């Protein structure tokens, strides 16, 4: 096994300028990530300098068997924490051979919104809090839980330490450092309220880069859990009953929100989000109705309300934002399995481009 480890960790830079590029895309379910690797003649830092590639869309639920070729367009480059050196991870989106975005390509529409001059001028910042649950591989039950049984009730586990309260920290720390290595703007991690559940935060990042970074951070997490023999779940309510669900709270601000008088801009933006509550909920993740019950730090899925420092609200405004009269707000409605391209662009579109 030591020889295998040596080969996996082999540094190619001593012998060749060639690098490995791992092309990554979102599969047909909207949550499954796919990837494959190719050799390039030398280091690349600009995605426009990378070749387009293709894959068999009939094997990912994204094309019929009789016309299965789907084209990958490289969009963002990150350093590869697994192969290291000059090797890279490449976030791609997918198109037909004629150049049309396939139906599961949510990045294309998001890019159009984020390239709108009115959106560009407002320099939208996002901070996305991605919650997830670590599961024991063979029994599909949370890490640290007795098989077929339950741990003690919630309370001691949030931001906890200790072998009887914190489960999977080695995976979480490995993911944290790998994301920093990759160039993802990961800003923190913490243990969550339900044992076996964790959270990482991406941001503040501008525009579509926030969504690219969340997807690559998810990819890295899936790869690390693969190595550890653990399963990661992004289900918004992995365990029914008196346990917290998993969300992807999305913090948001614009240039005018961050300037003097920004609090009034924030309140107008929240009013717009309230008017489009149903449309946002419909796009904020599958199974979210199991999580947004009005309990466990959520607002009811059919109710829109906002408040200062209220974790049971749809939109939470921080005490500092209220005090300073400017800042950001938190949309607490997105579920852990949301598509960050959809959520970030939808918030920008509703608050910046939509006129009721």
């Amino acid at each position: 096994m030591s020889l295998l480890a040596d080969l996996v960790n082999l540094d190619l830079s001593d012998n060749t300028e060639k690098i490995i590029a791992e092309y990554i895309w979102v599969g047909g379910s909207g949550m499954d990530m796919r990837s494959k690797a190719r050799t390039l003649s030398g280091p690349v830092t600009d995605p426009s300098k990378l070749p387009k590639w293709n894959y068999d869309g009939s094997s990912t639920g994204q094309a019929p068997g009789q016309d299965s070729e789907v084209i990958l367009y490289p969009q963002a480059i990150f350093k590869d924490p697994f192969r290291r050196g000059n090797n890279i991870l490449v976030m791609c989106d997918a198109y037909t051979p004629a150049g049309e975005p396939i139906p599961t390509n949510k990045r294309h529409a998001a890019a159009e919104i984020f390239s709108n001059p009115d959106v560009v001028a407002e320099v939208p910042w996002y901070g996305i809090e991605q919650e997830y649950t670590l599961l024991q591989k063979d029994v599909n039950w949370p890490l640290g839980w007795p098989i077929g049984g339950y741990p003690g009730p919630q309370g001691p586990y949030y931001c906890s330490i200790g072998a009887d309260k914190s489960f999977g920290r080695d995976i979480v720390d490995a993911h944290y450092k790998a994301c920093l290595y990759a160039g993802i703007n990961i800003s923190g991690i913490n243990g969550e309220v339900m044992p076996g559940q964790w959270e990482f935060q991406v941001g503040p990042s501008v525009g579509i880069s926030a969504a690219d970074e969340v997807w690559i951070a998810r990819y890295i997490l899936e790869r690390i859990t693969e190595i550890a023999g653990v399963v990661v779940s992004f289900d918004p309510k992995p365990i029914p009953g008196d346990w917290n669900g998993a969300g992807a709270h999305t913090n948001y601000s614009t240039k005018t929100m961050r300037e003097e008088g920004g609090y009034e801009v924030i309140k107008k933006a929240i009013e717009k989000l309230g008017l489009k509550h149903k449309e946002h909920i419909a796009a904020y993740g599958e199974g979210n109705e199991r999580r947004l019950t009005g309990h466990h730090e959520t607002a009811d899925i059919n109710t829109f309300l906002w408040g200062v420092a209220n974790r049971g609200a749809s939109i939470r405004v921080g005490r500092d934002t209220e005090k300073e009269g400017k800042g950001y707000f938190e949309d607490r409605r997105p579920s852990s399995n949301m598509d960050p391209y959809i959520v970030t662009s939808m918030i920008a579109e509703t608050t910046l481009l939509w006129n009721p």
Side-chain angles (χ1 to χ4, degrees):
M1 288 299 292
S2 60
L3 177 60
L4 180 61
D6 290 343
L7 290 171
V8 168
N9 295 317
L10 201 61
D11 184 356
L12 301 177
S13 60
D14 293 339
N15 297 288
T16 179
E17 291 187 1
K18 292 180 179 179
I19 68 157
I20 302 169
E22 191 78 26
Y23 280 47
I24 300 162
W25 70 97
V26 181
S29 75
M31 270 306 291
D32 59 316
M33 301 197 74
R34 309 288 180 131
S35 76
K36 61 178 187 171
R38 68 182 299 164
T39 305
L40 302 176
S41 59
V44 182
T45 56
D46 180 352
S48 68
K49 299 288 194 292
L50 288 167
K52 293 173 184 173
W53 206 8
N54 63 75
Y55 68 93
D56 171 17
S58 69
S59 296
T60 62
Q62 293 172 297
Q66 66 272 20
D67 187 16
S68 67
E69 189 169 287
V70 181
I71 313 301
L72 291 170
Y73 287 31
Q75 300 291 359
I77 291 175
F78 298 85
K79 293 178 69 178
D80 186 339
F82 303 103
R83 296 186 176 110
R84 289 170 283 195
N86 289 320
N87 303 301
I88 55 176
L89 305 176
V90 184
M91 190 66 208
C92 304
D93 59 353
Y95 297 79
T96 68
E100 295 294 321
I102 65 171
T104 52
N105 178 355
K106 306 304 180 186
R107 191 187 192 281
H108 182 265
E112 289 185 338
I113 290 168
F114 283 118
S115 64
N116 184 294
D118 292 338
V119 176
V120 172
E122 282 290 346
V123 195
W125 288 3
Y126 296 89
I128 298 171
E129 305 171 30
Q130 174 70 69
E131 294 177 340
Y132 60 94
T133 308
L134 297 174
L135 303 176
Q136 301 169 62
K137 178 169 165 282
D138 295 327
V139 293
N140 219 36
W141 198 238
L143 202 64
W145 289 36
I147 294 175
Y150 295 86
Q154 294 183 159
Y157 309 108
Y158 173 70
C159 296
S160 65
I161 56 170
D164 58 341
K165 297 181 288 293
S166 179
F167 312 109
R169 189 183 299 277
D170 52 349
I171 291 169
V172 174
D173 270 357
H175 176 251
Y176 195 175
K177 288 184 176 179
C179 285
L180 286 171
Y181 180 94
I184 293 166
N185 194 21
I186 187 170
S187 49
I189 57 165
N190 61 267
E192 266 306 329
V193 177
M194 189 182 86
Q197 198 172 76
W198 293 83
E199 172 184 299
F200 65 86
Q201 302 95 32
V202 167
S205 299
V206 178
I208 203 165
S209 63
D212 286 334
E213 290 175 17
V214 168
W215 274 119
I216 293 295
R218 285 174 172 176
Y219 173 84
I220 291 172
L221 181 59
E222 293 253 24
R223 287 284 305 276
I224 289 171
T225 53
E226 173 191 320
I227 294 165
V230 170
V231 174
V232 59
S233 170
F234 295 105
D235 189 282
K237 187 76 173 181
I239 304 296
D242 196 19
W243 304 97
N244 272 34
H249 303 155
T250 301
N251 300 275
Y252 171 71
S253 75
T254 63
K255 186 171 179 287
T256 50
M257 290 177 191
R258 297 188 290 269
E259 294 172 345
E260 293 303 318
Y263 194 41
E264 291 305 311
V265 180
I266 286 171
K267 287 194 283 188
K268 287 175 183 173
I270 293 172
E271 183 182 349
K272 282 184 171 185
L273 288 169
L275 294 172
K276 279 200 160 188
H277 177 64
K278 285 185 177 179
E279 292 93 325
H280 279 255
I281 286 294
Y284 272 17
E286 292 293 322
N288 214 5
E289 71 284 349
R290 294 183 280 117
R291 166 180 163 262
L292 296 180
T293 59
H295 304 288
H296 305 108
E297 301 183 48
T298 70
D300 181 82
I301 195 167
N302 296 311
T303 304
F304 182 88
L305 61 100
W306 75 277
V308 177
N310 182 0
R311 294 185 183 276
S314 314
I315 305 287
R316 182 185 69 87
V317 175
R319 289 279 180 214
D320 287 346
T321 296
E322 181 190 41
K323 182 180 176 183
E324 295 177 16
K326 60 184 178 181
Y328 72 97
F329 64 82
E330 175 191 46
D331 190 338
R332 296 179 61 80
R333 298 170 296 172
S335 68
S336 50
N337 60 2
M338 63 83 164
D339 187 322
Y341 292 131
I342 294 174
V343 170
T344 56
S345 62
M346 200 171 190
I347 292 172
E349 185 178 41
T350 297
T351 59
L352 297 173
L353 302 178
W354 183 57
N355 291 309

